[in-house]
Amino acid sequence: MIRTELYSKAWVMELYEPATVGEIQQVEQELQIVLPKVYRELLCVSNGVLGNLATLYSTEDLVEMNKTYEVQIFAPGYVSVGNDNGGYHLLMKAEQEAVHFQLVSDGYGVPNENDVTDYFLSWLNSDEGNPWRNE
């Protein structure tokens, strides 16, 4: 579960007002996906996160970025929940019980075993916020 300790992480530069249930449901309807429960929980704490090494998308950005990068076409079954501020997306399976992300280049297809993978909550609760930490 995502708690308010997120406010004390050194890598977190900015948090926002929580998303509403309606905003989260709108994302799922527009993208025709299911957001992972852990990401839904994050959105209920902060509607997006600006970090020094990664950005996690707000409900509005989820729709815009997934449509812009055609994630559901090039990586069906996945959703981009953020990026590393430099050309890589944080993809999660578009499944309620998904618990990890894969760091995949902008020119990606379906993620593979060579992509950097980490458990979303462990990474989120780390003190560094570096999506490359388990490379």
Side-chain angles (χ1 to χ4, degrees):
M1 174 167 235
I2 297 170
R3 299 178 293 254
T4 56
E5 288 89 20
L6 189 58
Y7 288 89
S8 67
K9 298 299 174 192
W11 67 272
V12 174
M13 296 169 58
E14 194 163 349
L15 297 173
Y16 307 97
E17 290 293 318
T20 66
V21 171
E23 289 171 324
I24 295 168
Q25 289 173 339
Q26 183 68 30
V27 169
E28 292 179 321
Q29 288 174 345
E30 283 193 48
L31 296 178
Q32 298 181 349
I33 58 154
V34 173
L35 288 173
K37 180 181 175 186
V38 293
Y39 204 79
R40 289 175 68 99
E41 289 175 359
L42 169 73
L43 292 171
C44 289
V45 171
S46 178
N47 192 1
V49 175
L50 176 62
N52 58 3
L53 296 172
T55 297
L56 299 174
Y57 298 142
S58 66
T59 50
E60 185 177 311
D61 292 338
L62 279 164
V63 173
E64 179 183 342
M65 297 304 281
N66 278 274
K67 285 185 175 183
T68 298
Y69 286 94
E70 299 178 310
V71 174
Q72 284 67 47
I73 293 170
F74 294 107
Y78 288 84
V79 60
S80 177
V81 297
N83 65 60
D84 76 338
N85 300 324
Y88 284 81
H89 286 266
L90 282 74
L91 293 187
M92 295 183 78
K93 285 192 176 185
E95 299 172 355
Q96 184 172 345
E97 299 306 318
V99 293
H100 64 273
F101 69 83
Q102 291 180 274
L103 198 58
V104 179
S105 172
D106 279 350
Y108 59 80
V110 175
N112 65 56
E113 66 276 357
N114 296 323
D115 296 323
V116 174
T117 301
D118 201 351
Y119 286 98
F120 185 73
L121 284 177
S122 297
W123 169 74
L124 191 65
N125 291 320
S126 74
D127 287 325
E128 65 219 29
N130 183 357
W132 295 98
R133 71 189 182 119
N134 284 341
E135 183 177 33

